[in-house]
Amino acid sequence: TADKRKKPNKFLRIENISPLWERGFVTYNTAMQEDRDMLTGIEQTLAFEKGSSVHDDAPDADEGAISILQESFRREAFQPLIGTSKTNSKFIW
């Protein structure tokens, strides 16, 4: 499906997630290590830099997928609390 998010500059979005690769949080399926599309995507990701004329469709798609995963995780991890707050009587005016 199309990515309909309101997005900042493509370079900045992709650069912001580059630490995920650097820290080893992004992995690729070894069963697809000979897949031409996978190799092209990895090549685009490794060649990505500001001002480059190399295609950047793969890193852009990865950024979109990572954004969706991060948003989904935030929603699942958030546990709203409902109730009353405890007040300290000496601070009540």
Side-chain angles (χ1 to χ4, degrees), residues 22-90:
E22 293 166 6
R23 294 183 180 136
F25 294 134
V26 177
T27 59
Y28 296 93
N29 185 344
T30 56
M32 298 183 70
Q33 65 186 357
E34 300 299 324
D35 182 80
R36 192 172 50 149
D37 291 330
M38 179 72 77
L39 294 172
T40 299
I42 293 170
E43 181 180 300
Q44 288 179 11
T45 301
L46 293 173
F48 183 78
E49 62 181 49
K50 192 168 191 147
S52 173
S53 62
V54 175
H55 290 288
D56 56 10
D57 297 329
D60 190 29
D62 288 343
E63 185 279 331
I66 288 168
S67 175
I68 290 169
L69 289 169
Q70 287 175 332
E71 180 62 31
S72 175
F73 178 77
R74 279 188 216 108
R75 271 190 250 125
E76 288 177 15
F78 178 71
Q79 296 294 323
L81 299 175
I82 299 174
T84 59
S85 62
K86 296 177 183 175
T87 58
N88 189 332
S89 61
K90 68 180 182 179

